[in-house]
Amino acid sequence: MVKFSKQFEGQLVPEWKEAFVDYWKLKKDLKKIHLLNNENTENQKQTNSCSSTLVSYINKYTSLGLKQREHKFIQVHQKLAASASKEDTYETELLEQFADTDAAVEFFACLDLQLNKVNQFFRTKEKEFLERGDSLKKQMEILIELKTVVKQERAKGPFQDSKEEDSISGTISCDEESVKDRTEQEQGPENPTDELDKNDMQCTECPTSGELGKSMRMKKEDGKLRSLSGRIINYQGKNLRIHIPMTNPTRTFSSITYLLWDDLVNQSSKKCGSDENKLHINKTKLHHAEKIIRGAFIELYKGLGYLKTYRHLNMLAFVKIMKKFDKVTNKQVLPIYIRVVESSHFNSSDKALRLADEVEELFIKHFAEDDRRKAMKYLKPTQRKESHTLTFFIGLFAGSFLALFVGYVIMAHITGMYRPKSNTVYMETVYPVLSMFSLLFLHFFLYGCNIFMWRKTRINYSFIFELSPTKELKYRDVFLICTTSMTAVVGVLFVHLSLVSKGYSNAQVQIIPGLLLLVFLLVLVCPFNIIYKSSRFRFLSVIRNIILSPLYKVVMLDFFMADQLCSQVPMLRNLEYVACYYITGSYKTQDYGYCMRTTYYRDLAYAVSFLPYYWRAMQCARRWFDEGHKSHLVNLGKYVSAMLAAGTKVAYEKEKSVGWLCLVVVMSSAATLYQLYWDFVKDWGLLQFHSKNPWLRDELMLQKKFIYYFSMGLNLILRLAWLQTVFPYNFGSVDYRVTGLFLAALEVVRRGQWNFYRLENEHLNNAGKFRAVKTIPLPFHEVDDQD
């Protein structure tokens, strides 16, 4: 049977852990009382046994006296709040002497502190969710009203063209002064759910507040909605703006396009007294606003579910700890204190429960077509069950990969392919393909290990990355992809090496590695719902977002993936070379030096070395622009230094002069010191000199501290791997390209351990703010009308 403390820790909301009852602290206090009771028990054995028997006999048959004393062990006082800003508190008074009164006083003081903490946190979260619920109800009313108007307009104009069918028509009414936009921009997650992303490529959204000029007025006249440029509407006497956050490049471009077209169509509206002009508000804006409101309802329902769990687990914790107290002290205190806990606010208030029922009803009615089962798929998504079949195939492909890899290594050793004086064509053309896939899937395998550790330490990576719980990759899925892919890669290259060793060197044989790469690219962009389609398309969208990073708000997943690319520069350069080799047709003549002689290729090599750091620097610049924190500019400087170091390395590889060598040492040393400081202090949150854990942070997810010290030392060593490029050392008769692959793999390993500590720091910072659900910016905002 699992102990309650394990169940309690496994079921609590990780981000709210500090707000839950400190069950472990209360158990420690009880242990003190238990030890003192044992000492007193030994002393009591030396007293007269006859008197003890007489007392027990009298107590047994005087039940009335026992019941009276039962209520006199403790008394819990409720102190009313002095002002509305404060909450009621509880304080326990001991009415009878315990075995050790000081320890009992300390225990009940801690117990009262936990009860007051739970009540205060519950009040705060309950108020937050109730306010969010009221806002969502108002948003829903506005949405229903606007959708009704759209239907009425479409019914009145059945002979309108396709554009007019998707819009609200109105008459322009000019005023002398325009309405200024004073809506504050809100920052939120990229999308409420993955389900909301399906039509992003096809929707036209309205701009964020403050975008491209001033808004114009929309009035309600004769029961019809009227607008100027369709950016502000009037609902129940209030000017409202439809605010769709531009959270990806598609929305940004479509919003700007809509604004430009809208301004061209309505130029004549700027002149007062002009003839009335026809105006259209695109219906897709309402559709997108509906998706945002639906996502907000889902997040609110999830938060209310967490609050229900919070109530239930804390109530169980109080009951369990009081049972233990009664068992240790042989007192009947549980009924007295539990009655107080049951009447306290966190257990007696039903506002959150009623709001959850209201949210469920509204969602079923407006977003699920009165289908409860369909609504529950969104409100309570079921987790995919772990399958033993998946584990079986992981083992099968892992064994196949090892067998093929051993066979490949033996054949390569026999043919002498990886020696310095080996088949140059093979090493220049086929080895980059193997190196590229090895680095890529090693990185992916380490990501699977990260997921396993994040789950084991209860780091909520799904919330941090804003992943859908029903579609995210589990660590078993990642391992299956890695083992399957590497089995295919090594198997194909084993066949290719066999053909080459037998003397086959025609174009049909040389194209095999290129076809292997092409197959993987086709699988990545395959539009059919096979081979983890949602994850593949999410990956492509993140890569797109990284490339266009300066154009829109940067979220956690985007800059996390951009950091991964910074460790995959060797892989990107191999990809560049392989693409050039096969696209130019050099494989037909086996002219592997053609690309190296091309000026464009050499220039592109510089760009490939810079691009990951450039993208990451642009993300830092965008975050500074959005948030205004100077730390993002400091982080930008780190990537600029990395760009300079990478550029000097590429130049040194080309020139091989002493001057470039000195410059590489200076730039790489400065960049390494910069990066080490940022790794330890900013990303990992370590090197805290005044922490209770020497050189570490106060809160740690791993119990064994030596792991952190070991990781810091390993990170320092792996950061110095660039020294191999300056002072090359060949391991025996191994080709220098193999040595380069080994060093590149070390950088990938360093990034893998960085990933765990980066998410750990992010989780602790997020948990410190008690954020367990996403706050989605709502689409309808009131705009003040200034004369």
Side-chain angles (χ1 to χ4, degrees):
M1 185 176 180
V2 182
K3 292 184 178 180
F4 173 74
S5 57
K6 295 291 184 182
Q7 294 179 341
F8 184 68
E9 186 176 11
Q11 296 178 17
L12 56 79
V13 183
E15 290 79 11
W16 295 354
K17 184 177 180 179
E18 296 301 320
F20 277 83
V21 174
D22 195 346
Y23 187 76
W24 302 270
K25 173 68 168 59
L26 293 172
K27 283 182 66 177
K28 289 181 180 178
D29 292 343
L30 265 183
K31 190 174 181 180
K32 295 179 182 178
I33 298 176
H34 180 62
L35 293 175
L36 292 171
N37 281 347
N38 289 339
E39 294 178 1
N40 293 332
T41 301
E42 293 177 358
N43 295 331
Q44 289 177 359
K45 288 181 179 178
Q46 301 175 0
T47 60
N48 192 340
S49 60
C50 293
S51 59
S52 301
T53 305
L54 180 61
V55 171
S56 62
Y57 180 81
I58 294 173
N59 289 339
K60 181 178 180 181
Y61 290 98
T62 55
S63 58
L64 180 60
L66 180 64
K67 290 181 180 179
Q68 290 176 351
R69 284 196 302 274
E70 184 183 72
H71 296 278
K72 294 183 180 180
F73 291 126
I74 63 170
Q75 184 175 355
V76 183
H77 302 285
Q78 181 180 6
K79 295 184 177 181
L80 300 179
S83 61
S85 60
K86 298 182 179 180
E87 292 84 13
D88 299 343
T89 57
Y90 295 92
E91 184 176 336
T92 303
E93 178 186 0
L94 273 63
L95 303 180
E96 183 174 311
Q97 295 293 324
F98 287 79
D100 184 70
T101 305
D102 293 336
V105 169
E106 183 180 351
F107 171 80
F108 279 105
C110 181
L111 192 65
D112 294 336
L113 179 65
Q114 299 302 315
L115 178 58
N116 295 329
K117 178 184 72 173
V118 169
N119 276 318
Q120 181 181 1
F121 181 81
F122 188 89
R123 287 177 187 273
T124 302
K125 283 297 174 183
E126 183 184 55
K127 180 181 178 182
E128 175 186 333
F129 289 141
L130 290 176
E131 291 176 352
R132 190 69 175 176
D134 292 338
S135 300
L136 272 175
K137 291 175 188 177
K138 294 178 182 178
Q139 296 275 319
M140 197 69 227
E141 292 175 0
I142 297 172
L143 179 64
I144 294 172
E145 178 70 19
L146 294 178
K147 290 176 68 176
T148 302
V149 172
V150 169
K151 291 180 180 178
Q152 292 175 354
E153 291 295 328
R154 291 186 65 182
K156 290 179 181 179
F159 300 105
Q160 292 177 344
D161 58 19
S162 59
K163 290 184 178 179
E164 291 186 359
E165 288 179 356
D166 289 336
S167 61
I168 302 174
S169 299
T171 304
I172 294 178
S173 175
C174 283
D175 290 336
E176 293 183 357
E177 298 182 3
S178 62
V179 180
K180 296 182 179 179
D181 176 22
R182 299 198 301 129
T183 306
E184 295 181 354
Q185 294 184 355
E186 293 188 28
Q187 297 178 355
E190 181 178 1
N191 283 310
T193 60
D194 284 354
E195 196 67 29
L196 306 184
D197 294 334
K198 291 183 178 179
N199 298 320
D200 281 353
M201 300 296 291
Q202 301 173 355
C203 292
T204 302
E205 297 87 0
C206 72
T208 52
S209 55
E211 294 286 344
L212 299 178
K214 298 179 180 179
S215 302
M216 292 181 279
R217 187 187 309 270
M218 182 174 191
K219 294 185 176 181
K220 191 172 183 180
E221 182 178 326
D222 299 331
K224 298 181 180 179
L225 292 174
R226 295 188 171 188
S227 74
L228 295 179
S229 81
R231 299 174 199 169
I232 296 181
I233 62 175
N234 185 281
Y235 174 75
Q236 295 182 351
K238 297 180 180 179
N239 290 324
L240 300 174
R241 173 185 296 280
I242 303 179
H243 172 82
I244 308 297
M246 295 188 295
T247 53
N248 58 50
T250 304
R251 291 189 182 183
T252 302
F253 289 132
S254 61
S255 298
I256 294 175
T257 303
Y258 174 78
L259 276 174
L260 294 176
W261 174 255
D262 195 49
D263 289 339
L264 289 174
V265 171
N266 299 288
Q267 279 182 349
S268 58
S269 65
K270 297 179 181 179
K271 298 178 181 180
C272 296
S274 62
D275 295 333
E276 294 183 345
N277 299 285
K278 207 69 175 176
L279 184 71
H280 306 288
I281 301 176
N282 200 306
K283 181 190 171 184
T284 53
K285 290 185 294 184
L286 294 182
H287 174 67
H288 211 80
E290 181 179 0
K291 291 199 298 181
I292 292 177
I293 293 175
R294 180 179 63 176
F297 268 112
I298 293 172
E299 291 300 317
L300 175 61
Y301 191 82
K302 185 190 298 183
L304 293 170
Y306 287 158
L307 202 59
K308 184 178 179 181
T309 301
Y310 180 81
R311 166 190 292 189
H312 175 68
L313 288 179
N314 281 313
M315 190 66 205
L316 277 180
F318 281 116
V319 172
K320 290 288 184 180
I321 202 66
M322 293 310 300
K323 281 185 178 180
K324 288 181 180 293
F325 181 85
D326 288 356
K327 185 178 179 179
V328 168
T329 60
N330 293 321
K331 308 286 186 180
Q332 295 296 322
V333 178
L334 183 145
I336 305 172
Y337 202 87
I338 292 303
R339 277 196 293 270
V340 176
V341 175
E342 288 176 344
S343 62
S344 63
H345 182 79
F346 89 93
N347 188 68
S348 60
S349 176
D350 63 343
K351 295 179 181 179
L353 296 178
R354 286 190 278 109
L355 178 59
D357 293 336
E358 292 179 24
V359 170
E360 189 174 312
E361 292 176 2
L362 286 172
F363 197 91
I364 293 173
K365 180 179 180 182
H366 299 290
F367 300 108
E369 301 175 351
D370 293 325
D371 187 347
R372 179 179 177 80
R373 180 176 298 180
K374 180 180 178 181
M376 290 299 107
K377 290 181 180 179
Y378 294 98
L379 296 177
K380 292 182 179 180
T382 56
Q383 297 285 345
R384 289 188 292 125
K385 295 181 179 180
E386 299 289 346
S387 174
H388 294 294
T389 306
L390 204 63
T391 307
F392 168 76
F393 280 109
I394 292 173
L396 176 65
F397 286 114
S400 302
F401 163 69
L402 288 176
L404 288 170
F405 183 73
V406 170
Y408 180 80
V409 171
I410 292 174
M411 182 172 289
H413 177 73
I414 293 173
T415 57
M417 288 295 180
Y418 292 112
R419 294 172 186 170
K421 297 180 181 180
S422 60
N423 189 337
T424 308
V425 176
Y426 186 87
M427 290 301 297
E428 292 289 351
T429 59
V430 180
Y431 184 72
V433 176
L434 176 61
S435 175
M436 178 179 57
F437 281 115
S438 299
L439 292 175
L440 177 63
F441 289 109
L442 172 62
H443 206 142
F444 206 48
F445 174 79
L446 292 174
Y447 175 69
C449 296
N450 288 142
I451 294 177
F452 177 80
M453 289 302 300
W454 290 333
R455 291 185 63 181
K456 190 175 181 63
T457 54
R458 292 183 59 77
I459 294 176
N460 196 352
Y461 68 96
S462 298
F463 173 74
I464 295 173
F465 289 147
E466 301 175 16
L467 302 175
S468 171
T470 59
K471 297 179 180 180
E472 64 170 313
L473 289 177
K474 310 296 184 183
Y475 69 92
R476 296 174 190 267
D477 299 313
V478 176
F479 291 155
L480 179 63
I481 294 172
C482 291
T483 54
T484 305
S485 301
M486 286 308 297
T487 300
V489 170
V490 176
V492 171
L493 293 183
F494 179 80
V495 173
H496 177 263
L497 183 58
S498 301
L499 294 175
V500 172
S501 63
K502 292 179 181 179
Y504 296 95
S505 58
N506 51 23
Q508 287 76 12
V509 174
Q510 296 301 323
I511 202 175
I512 291 177
L515 289 177
L516 177 65
L517 176 59
L518 181 61
V519 168
F520 272 90
L521 292 177
L522 290 177
V523 170
L524 181 62
V525 299
C526 177
F528 302 109
N529 192 18
I530 57 174
I531 315 178
Y532 302 103
K533 177 188 174 183
S534 60
S535 298
R536 289 188 287 108
F537 277 48
R538 183 66 182 269
F539 172 76
L540 292 174
S541 66
V542 170
I543 296 299
R544 175 205 63 187
N545 296 346
I546 292 173
I547 296 173
L548 302 175
S549 54
L551 300 180
Y552 75 108
K553 183 178 181 292
V554 181
V555 296
M556 176 66 186
L557 184 59
D558 293 341
F559 67 76
F560 179 85
M561 183 61 69
D563 276 322
Q564 312 308 304
L565 293 179
C566 292
S567 295
Q568 287 288 0
V569 172
M571 187 271 293
L572 295 176
R573 294 190 63 178
N574 285 332
L575 178 61
E576 174 201 6
Y577 175 79
V578 172
C580 177
Y581 180 74
Y582 284 99
I583 291 176
T584 58
S586 299
Y587 69 94
K588 297 178 182 179
T589 60
Q590 298 186 17
D591 185 8
Y592 58 84
Y594 174 78
C595 293
M596 300 300 296
R597 297 192 301 268
T598 305
T599 305
Y600 297 109
Y601 174 84
R602 293 198 299 268
D603 295 339
L604 187 60
Y606 281 96
V608 170
S609 300
F610 289 153
L611 275 177
Y613 303 107
Y614 167 77
W615 290 329
R616 193 65 186 89
M618 290 300 98
Q619 288 180 336
C620 294
R622 177 61 196 236
R623 294 190 70 191
W624 171 77
F625 178 79
D626 289 337
E627 302 172 16
H629 298 313
K630 294 182 179 179
S631 60
H632 297 309
L633 291 180
V634 181
N635 197 16
L636 185 148
K638 181 187 74 170
Y639 292 101
V640 171
S641 67
M643 289 170 60
L644 295 175
T648 54
K649 288 178 186 178
V650 174
Y652 172 69
E653 291 174 2
K654 179 182 177 182
E655 301 293 338
K656 295 291 183 180
S657 63
V658 178
W660 280 111
L661 175 61
C662 296
L663 191 59
V664 166
V665 172
V666 172
M667 295 305 303
S668 298
S669 299
T672 300
L673 291 175
Y674 205 152
Q675 292 161 356
L676 285 172
Y677 168 78
W678 199 268
D679 285 347
F680 295 147
V681 178
K682 298 297 182 179
D683 287 340
W684 294 7
L686 305 178
L687 297 182
Q688 304 295 324
F689 300 103
H690 302 289
S691 171
K692 63 181 181 181
N693 301 311
W695 292 80
L696 305 176
R697 64 171 79 91
D698 288 331
E699 298 294 331
L700 301 174
M701 301 299 294
L702 300 177
Q703 295 180 354
K704 298 180 179 179
K705 299 178 184 178
F706 79 90
I707 298 178
Y708 292 92
Y709 297 115
F710 174 78
S711 297
M712 286 192 289
L714 183 62
N715 186 77
L716 173 62
I717 295 172
L718 295 180
R719 278 288 190 186
L720 298 176
W722 58 267
L723 290 172
Q724 171 63 22
T725 61
V726 181
F727 308 105
Y729 176 78
N730 292 327
F731 298 91
S733 59
V734 179
D735 190 274
Y736 74 94
R737 301 176 189 85
V738 181
T739 305
L741 173 62
F742 175 74
L743 295 175
L746 289 181
E747 169 60 21
V748 173
V749 171
R750 188 201 65 80
R751 181 64 65 180
Q753 76 156 0
W754 177 91
N755 289 341
F756 174 80
Y757 295 111
R758 180 68 180 88
L759 261 289
E760 179 190 22
N761 191 40
E762 187 72 19
H763 171 81
L764 291 173
N765 290 334
N766 179 57
K769 299 177 181 178
F770 301 108
R771 294 177 299 188
V773 293
K774 292 178 285 188
T775 303
I776 297 177
L778 301 178
F780 302 115
H781 299 270
E782 182 177 350
V783 181
D784 293 336
D785 187 5
Q786 293 184 348
D787 295 332

